[in-house]
Amino acid sequence: MEETNEKRNRETSVKLEKGGWDAAIDLLWPRMWFIIAGCGVSANLLYFLMSEYNVESIAAIQICCFIFGCVFMVGIAGVVADYSFFGSFRVITVLSFVSLFGMIMLMLTRLDAPSETPTKYQFGLLFVSIALALSGFVAVYNSYGFLRRDQYDKPPTICWELSGACLFFYVNVGAGVTLISLAGQYKTWGFGFGSCCFANVVGLLFFFCKKRSYRLSKPQEYFVSTLKNSGVQVDELFSRDDQDLIKLIPLFVTDIFLHASDIMLNSLMTLQALTMNRHIFDPDLEVPVSCFAFFSLPTIFLSLAIIDFFVVPQCKKLRISWGIGLTHVLTILTLIASAVIESHRLNHLANNHSLMSALWLMIPEAILGFKFGFYFRRNSRMYCREEGIATVLMRTFSLGMGCFVSILIIQIFVQFTDWLPHNINDGRLDYVYWMLAAIGCLNFAFHLIFTKNFEFPTFEYYAGDDDHNDEAAHGSKLQVA
């Protein structure tokens, strides 16, 4: 049996060294369906709590942030289990069924939804079902990154086909979650969460059908081979990390606030959309409130395309610090745009009986999309010299902490100001945005101070078609500037 597996891995390796395109396609379909299922639950959670469980808007935001924070912390355990003990295939298999079970529970809790005030039992059952559904989703999402990376001996080169696959992926995910959100818009939650279950099952079928084409590495196998190929000794690696730890913690704290701002923006924009005119083309057709976050998808892809096809060819070396600083600036610009739009909305509401168009929210979402694109390309390697488990762990932990920090910030606004009432028409949400923008500027200043003497990695990109040059043939490597 072991010889058969080794033979299959060698055959797969030969095929993947020619470009890895077959394996990339095989993994694209199940990952797409799993993300549609998970995003369908998470994107509609806030509106579901408000409409079906009669939770006040600000309290519903805090509940969602708490659930997401716990889910990301559980996702850390999934990453460790994947990387160190069981491997990606087993983790994806088991946690996909966990996620499916949670979605089935969530669909059934809809049948027992309270008419007025929910009981502790109903809230507890709802929390468990959501936690199971989303915990499995986060862990599966992280493990897919490991599994996809294991298919290649070297990182694939940037190509139009790969970018076309990303565009196809984003478009289909956005369309699938939009259809699920339409079900929530018309209060047919059973159909909406049932669609999430269906997407999860389809993802599992695609995943198992293509099992023979995957290269299944042993736990820690890739980490060890990466160290050997790079010539980095384990003792030197951890010694170097210890030296950078003191400088790293302040950077980590500034990154947490970026995540907290994103979480609050998406939640508060949902409240704004509920108070605005969401009709398009037809008076009977409304944009679901859960879909406004997906207006950032086009600019995410656009920013990735700009980096891969315009910035990279012109720059052989790119310091990671410029990308992180740009995400700070774009976050501040998003908050300022949101504050201006909210101020205009309140003035329009006071001076006119008609509602302001919700399509104005596309502006901050578009800016946020550029921010996410640059974040994906640069921030993901801020915390370690070699991409691997440390990157995923730090990113997942910072996302979870960002959720908890957003709860604290919202509670401060509720406790000491009257800017965030249940009905935002009676508050000053624009002041909240301005305050967050001011804190973001202070956060950016701290970032500049802390990074002044911090040695960031540098991405070095190669060009050329020399097949005898492994680095030229296979893309990029990471060096310390």
Side-chain angles (χ1 to χ4, degrees), residues 164-295:
C166 292
L167 177 60
F168 173 82
F169 179 84
Y170 284 129
V171 169
N172 281 275
V173 169
V177 177
T178 298
L179 291 176
I180 295 172
S181 300
L182 283 172
Q185 179 70 24
Y186 295 100
K187 306 296 179 65
T188 54
W189 292 106
F191 174 79
F193 292 134
S195 300
C196 295
C197 296
F198 173 77
N200 196 305
V201 172
V202 173
L204 277 169
L205 292 177
F206 273 108
F207 184 64
F208 288 132
C209 287
K210 295 295 183 178
K211 177 184 176 182
R212 295 183 61 84
S213 65
Y214 305 146
R215 176 193 296 178
L216 306 179
S217 64
K218 297 178 181 179
Q220 297 182 344
E221 178 180 333
Y222 183 87
F223 180 62
V224 174
S225 63
T226 301
L227 291 179
K228 289 181 179 179
N229 293 335
S230 61
V232 178
Q233 299 296 324
V234 177
D235 294 339
E236 295 177 0
L237 176 65
F238 286 102
S239 175
R240 182 173 56 194
D241 289 341
D242 291 339
Q243 294 173 2
D244 289 341
L245 182 60
I246 297 178
K247 296 180 180 179
L248 184 63
I249 292 176
L251 296 176
F252 180 62
V253 172
T254 60
D255 195 46
I256 288 176
F257 180 78
L258 288 178
H259 292 305
S261 300
D262 297 337
I263 294 164
M264 293 181 63
L265 269 170
N266 286 325
S267 300
L268 294 175
M269 282 184 188
T270 300
L271 301 187
Q272 285 180 280
L274 285 170
T275 62
M276 302 174 77
N277 181 11
R278 292 178 281 115
H279 295 283
I280 53 172
F281 306 124
D282 191 322
D284 297 327
L285 181 62
E286 283 188 323
V287 179
V289 293
S290 304
C291 291
F292 281 87
F294 291 96
F295 285 133

Side-chain angles (χ1 to χ4, degrees), residues 31-57:
R31 184 172 182 264
M32 182 182 73
W33 284 102
F34 281 134
I35 290 182
I36 289 175
C39 289
V41 174
S42 59
N44 291 280
L45 181 57
L46 177 61
Y47 187 58
F48 176 69
L49 290 175
M50 294 171 58
S51 61
E52 293 296 311
Y53 278 73
N54 304 305
V55 182
E56 293 187 351
S57 59

Side-chain angles (χ1 to χ4, degrees), residues 374-389:
F374 285 101
Y375 180 86
F376 294 156
R377 280 291 184 265
R378 293 295 168 261
N379 279 30
S380 60
R381 297 191 185 188
M382 180 175 72
Y383 299 111
C384 65
R385 304 303 185 187
E386 285 74 33
E387 184 180 12
I389 187 173

Side-chain angles (χ1 to χ4, degrees), residues 77-92 94 216-220:
V79 172
V80 175
D82 175 345
Y83 212 87
S84 303
F85 300 103
F86 305 109
S88 302
F89 186 85
R90 292 189 182 94
V91 170
I92 292 174
V94 173
L216 306 179
S217 64
K218 297 178 181 179
Q220 297 182 344

